[in-house]
Amino acid sequence: MDLPPFLLDHWLAKHSFATPPIAYDLASSTGPKWTVGELLALGDGTGLDDTVLSYAPSEGGRALREAIGTFLGVDPDWVVVTLGASEAFSILLCAAARPGTNVVLPSPGYPAFDPMAGVWGLGVRHVRLSRDNGFRQHAADVLDAVDESTVFALVNTPHNPAGTIMPRDGIEELAAALHRKGVPLVVDEVYHPLYFGKPQPSAASLSNVIAMGDMSKAMSLAGLRIGWLVERDPQRREKMIDARSYFTISSSPLLERLAVHALANRDVLLTRLQAVAGENLVALSDFMDRVSDVLAWARPAGGTVCFPWFRDGRDSRPFCEALAANGVLVAPGDCFGMPEHMRLGFALLRPEKFSQALGIFERILREG
């Protein structure tokens, strides 16, 4: 199968690594960056000199699985470590794929989801998230999309790119209803626990839920390339581990050790993310009020991104190109199949630089 162009990564690769570099990155879906030195300086620190550069267990080293289990409040034996959430999703598709079957996915959603399902021969049934309804996520809508050929349904909460959440009671209701149909619920919670209202526990402990997460988003450590699946069913978990053995064999022991240290100091990482994202979201809300004659949005309830759109329905790509030429990077909506939208990240830049970026954004918007 020929994969379609990955428009989001093409856009990011074109601009994020340009020379000279973009001054204000609002296209990123991660939080403030950390250096290895900054990370190692947290807590009691950790030496890396005695790390053996061999293979790790395919399911992940015990220390890392215990750290993830503690973070999520689950048995570490349920945890399967992966090469980011991307490998986690591929493993799910590989383990579930059967001729004539389908998966239920949100739309809009992460752009890799639909093509990767197609690679494994799976059909896709969409849960349409309506901007007229603030992109809200409802259990009933997911259930309506499930049919007799569905092998799993996925909910992304907090959602990329819209920033909406499915409340805990909705996830519990959905997982129980899907169990009666023999369909597991996959909860993509890479942005957990970044919420701007009432905190929500991880869904990983719920029955009939396979949780998917990583160190890239809420932990702001994308370069570690550490993700995970949490699966309580031992037979399905064994299939996941076998798939991982075929795909990538294991993670790097060095990166696993850094991830263990990061999770031990997660309160520091998460506090910084919450502070930056929270302050920037206030500034962004004020900005959206000022430009509400041109742009509309659904204020995010969690995560690090939002998905504003042009009220007149124009294609956002020319505007995004103009922004990039002035040093501000946002992702055009055609990367998500909705050209009038833009994905805007608000957690990478410190508040002073974020405000500067919004000033340039507003100037280009008014000039256009």
Side-chain angles (χ1 to χ4, degrees):
M1 173 183 177
D2 288 332
L3 284 167
F6 198 162
L7 295 181
L8 178 61
D9 268 22
H10 287 189
W11 175 262
L12 296 176
K14 175 183 176 182
H15 295 289
S16 297
F17 306 107
T19 302
I22 285 286
Y24 304 97
D25 186 355
L26 304 184
S28 175
S29 58
T30 64
K33 294 178 180 178
W34 292 80
T35 67
V36 173
E38 290 170 336
L39 184 60
L40 291 178
L42 299 179
D44 296 330
T46 182
L48 300 175
D49 293 350
D50 61 346
T51 303
V52 178
L53 297 178
S54 182
Y55 294 109
S58 292
E59 68 271 24
R62 184 69 190 181
L64 179 54
R65 289 186 291 120
E66 287 181 349
I68 295 168
T70 299
F71 170 50
L72 300 176
V74 299
D75 187 331
D77 287 342
W78 298 356
V79 177
V80 178
V81 176
T82 63
L83 189 67
S86 296
E87 185 185 39
F89 186 64
S90 292
I91 287 172
L92 287 171
L93 296 171
C94 175
R98 302 288 185 277
T101 56
N102 65 69
V103 293
V104 171
L105 301 173
S107 178
Y110 185 59
F113 282 170
D114 284 28
M116 290 306 298
V119 165
W120 289 101
L122 287 156
V124 174
R125 294 174 64 84
H126 287 121
V127 179
R128 303 289 179 183
L129 306 182
S130 169
R131 71 186 184 203
D132 295 333
N133 192 31
F135 294 107
R136 291 184 179 88
Q137 302 187 64
H138 301 289
D141 295 334
V142 180
L143 285 171
D144 286 345
V146 171
D147 68 9
E148 66 280 357
S149 299
T150 301
V151 290
F152 69 74
L154 183 144
V155 169
N156 176 205
T157 179
H159 180 266
N160 179 7
T164 57
I165 64 172
M166 179 175 283
R168 173 72 171 201
D169 56 358
I171 296 174
E172 292 175 348
E173 171 194 340
L174 179 57
L178 288 173
H179 178 69
R180 292 190 288 271
K181 295 176 175 289
V183 176
L185 173 63
V186 175
V187 180
D188 174 3
E189 53 179 26
V190 295
Y191 290 105
H192 172 81
L194 181 59
Y195 303 99
F196 303 116
K198 182 181 178 181
Q200 204 163 283
S202 167
S205 62
L206 296 176
S207 297
N208 198 43
V209 164
I210 304 169
M212 182 168 70
D214 67 17
M215 301 291 292
S216 300
K217 306 301 185 184
M219 295 296 169
S220 308
L221 296 170
L224 290 186
R225 305 309 303 136
I226 295 289
W228 55 79
L229 292 163
V230 180
E231 170 59 90
R232 67 171 63 205
D233 182 277
Q235 291 182 322
R236 288 203 300 238
R237 191 167 63 246
E238 197 61 38
K239 290 181 179 179
M240 293 173 179
I241 296 169
D242 277 341
R244 188 164 197 235
S245 297
Y246 280 113
F247 287 177
T248 54
I249 302 176
S250 74
S251 307
S252 160
L254 185 64
L255 299 182
E256 286 202 6
R257 191 158 177 179
L258 283 170
V260 171
H261 179 68
L263 286 165
N265 293 279
R266 62 185 178 275
D267 288 347
V268 179
L269 276 68
L270 293 171
T271 296
R272 188 169 89 164
L273 173 65
Q274 189 81 48
V276 172
E279 187 171 343
N280 286 350
L281 183 55
V282 171
L284 181 59
S285 297
D286 291 343
F287 166 79
M288 290 302 300
D289 285 343
R290 294 197 304 272
V291 300
S292 60
D293 57 320
V294 182
L295 298 177
W297 77 323
R299 191 180 193 276
T304 65
V305 294
C306 61
F307 204 42
W309 63 93
F310 280 104
R311 289 186 179 275
D312 61 9
R314 80 182 80 162
D315 187 338
S316 72
R317 183 168 281 264
F319 174 72
C320 292
E321 293 281 9
L323 276 181
N326 284 269
V328 178
L329 189 64
V330 299
D334 57 18
C335 299
F336 299 86
M338 300 180 74
E340 69 274 26
H341 286 254
M342 295 167 278
R343 191 186 73 176
L344 190 155
F346 54 88
L348 176 66
L349 299 181
R350 297 303 178 99
E352 181 181 353
K353 288 202 70 175
F354 186 72
S355 293
Q356 292 170 0
L358 291 182
I360 297 170
F361 192 121
E362 187 170 1
R363 174 174 61 81
I364 302 302
L365 188 68
R366 295 305 184 190
E367 288 176 353

